[in-house]
Amino acid sequence: MSPAWWQWIASRDSLTARLVSAGSHRTFRVRLLNQRLGRPRRDEALALDLPPARHAWLREVALCLDERPWVVARSVVPLDGLHGQRLDRLGERSLGSWLFRQPDLERSPLEVTADPPPFHPASGPWARRSLFRHHRFVVLVQEFFLDCMADDLGLPSR
């Protein structure tokens, strides 16, 4: 992985804030692609230690600069972990805007892959995922960096 990509992949701060900063004069927008109750994929259920048939809250978004998607993301929250959180009300606000305001937020080590997003047709060079924990609340956040971002920022293909 190139050093330029490593700075994006290894960052542990808010991806939303980093995208806004990198986009400078561009308009940032979270585009809600899908939000529903459903079954997580097998790898997601394993990461969350959920039985395979258990339902979860699923949310898929595109993080866009000037309406061009730079990142697509999928979040998975076990239903018994919501504890009254009304994440369905986020609409087109980023989950990170809520997460990074939580005191005592813990983040697991990052997992990195070159796999494409299984829920979106766009492609890109890298993806990462990690678990965020705040007391009993846990969410799996998966972020797929897209070719548009690489092109717009002049990043290498890998």
Side-chain angles (χ1 to χ4, degrees):
M1 178 181 302
S2 72
W5 271 115
W6 183 246
Q7 289 179 2
W8 282 96
I9 298 298
S11 71
R12 298 182 61 82
D13 55 351
S14 168
L15 178 59
T16 298
R18 290 176 62 81
L19 290 170
V20 168
S21 177
S24 61
H25 64 280
R26 295 177 179 105
T27 302
F28 176 81
R29 176 181 174 219
V30 175
R31 186 182 327 142
L32 182 62
L33 303 174
N34 196 347
Q35 183 172 267
R36 69 189 184 288
L37 297 180
R39 288 193 179 130
R41 293 188 322 267
R42 181 170 163 35
D43 65 296
E44 295 169 333
L46 286 171
L48 289 160
D49 201 23
L50 281 177
R54 182 81 42 96
H55 279 74
W57 179 76
L58 310 172
R59 183 172 192 251
E60 298 162 357
V61 298
L63 306 178
C64 304
L65 280 292
D66 284 347
E67 297 301 321
R68 286 173 51 93
W70 278 17
V71 175
V72 291
R74 178 174 160 104
S75 303
V76 182
V77 180
L79 294 182
D80 60 357
L82 284 174
H83 303 292
Q85 300 296 334
R86 296 301 313 257
L87 299 179
D88 58 324
R89 293 183 181 168
L90 279 171
E92 295 206 334
R93 289 178 290 146
S94 86
L95 177 61
S97 69
W98 177 81
L99 272 177
F100 284 97
R101 288 193 324 259
Q102 303 311 307
D104 305 323
L105 181 69
E106 297 175 10
R107 187 175 193 174
S108 72
L110 295 166
E111 297 176 31
V112 179
T113 182
D115 293 342
F119 61 92
H120 195 273
S123 62
W126 298 108
R128 67 181 189 174
R129 76 179 190 177
S130 59
L131 291 169
F132 288 88
R133 294 181 189 279
H134 173 62
H135 302 292
R136 294 184 338 181
F137 175 82
V138 62
V139 58
L140 176 65
V141 176
Q142 303 159 99
E143 299 157 327
F144 297 83
F145 298 85
L146 302 180
D147 292 333
C148 285
M149 178 182 168
D151 293 344
D152 287 353
L153 293 178
L155 295 168
S157 60
R158 289 247 178 213

